Amino acid sequence: MRILVVEDDAGIASGLRTNLQQRGYAVDVCDGVAGAWAALRAERFDAVLLDLGLKDGDGSEVLRRLRASPAATAGAQAALALPDPATPVLILTARDHVTERIAGLDQGADDYLVKPFNVDELEARLRAMLRRATGRASPTLRHADIELDPGARTVHQAGQAVEMSPREFSVLWVLMDARGRVLSRQQIEERLYSWDVAIESNAIEVYIHHLRRKLGSTCIQTMRGVGYFMPQEKP
């Protein structure tokens, strides 16, 4: 999953990037309001970790503009470079007064965490936000006899553990989270890679091949010229 960190403290930003990348997330970093808004207009992020005290203004301005952004209609979002107003936002700030926490939540934040924080707690809150954003109540994703646990980073098929590389796990997570929707190679890449990562042209195809070998040739299907999907089970 792709995360935007908006943080002007270079040490905190670097620590967040390193810790989240080690846990399988693609992470991009901005240090101000202007950079954050440009990033949100240019890319799709699964969640935003937002500091409030930024070098060029208050992070709440990013939140306000994001929530006020028009919801996309067919083709409109890409044409107008509008961010998704429903993008989950977790505020990370040293402002710990209860009135400030209430204000942040009332402005549209999905969660609020006061610095200093524990990274394990941060990731648990991040997973909960991502669950709510996709309408899932369960912490695990299931498809046929495949079960994926984002917290434990494990995959089981028919009750048996299946070994996955970090990138294979991430590709499977993205496809299972799509719940039957067809995703193009570019859409998968955008969920897995941050700006500073060079991507080999056939990387996604290689990971799909590995997943089919481990989970069965029919678990991931190809729509020729469009992309990949995991077919939904019939009722």
Side-chain angles (χ1 to χ4, degrees), residues 186-226:
Q186 181 181 353
Q187 287 175 314
I188 298 173
E189 289 174 346
E190 288 172 351
R191 302 283 295 278
L192 299 182
Y193 297 98
S194 52
W195 297 319
D196 56 352
V197 175
I199 309 171
E200 295 184 15
S201 60
N202 67 336
I204 300 302
E205 286 82 353
V206 169
Y207 296 130
I208 295 291
H209 173 74
H210 290 171
L211 289 170
R212 285 170 171 162
R213 181 163 48 83
K214 293 181 177 183
L215 300 172
S217 59
T218 61
C219 71
I220 300 173
Q221 297 188 11
T222 302
M223 182 173 289
R224 189 173 300 277
V226 181

Side-chain angles (χ1 to χ4, degrees), residues 1 20-25 123 127 148-156 162 164-171 173:
M1 299 295 170
L20 291 174
Q21 285 178 336
Q22 289 174 345
R23 296 163 191 245
Y25 297 90
E123 198 205 357
R127 291 195 303 267
L148 181 147
D149 186 333
R153 296 195 66 79
T154 57
V155 176
H156 288 79
V162 181
M164 296 271 167
S165 72
R167 196 63 77 188
E168 289 166 0
F169 181 91
S170 295
V171 172
W173 185 1

Side-chain angles (χ1 to χ4, degrees), residues 88-129:
V89 176
L90 192 160
I91 291 177
L92 293 175
T93 181
R95 301 176 188 175
D96 60 354
H97 196 279
V98 66
T99 58
E100 293 171 312
R101 297 200 298 271
I102 292 171
L105 294 168
D106 283 345
Q107 287 168 351
D110 297 88
D111 204 349
Y112 195 109
L113 191 57
V114 176
K115 301 174 183 176
F117 51 83
N118 180 281
V119 178
D120 289 333
E121 179 185 0
L122 168 64
E123 198 205 357
R125 289 173 179 266
L126 184 55
R127 291 195 303 267
M129 283 201 321

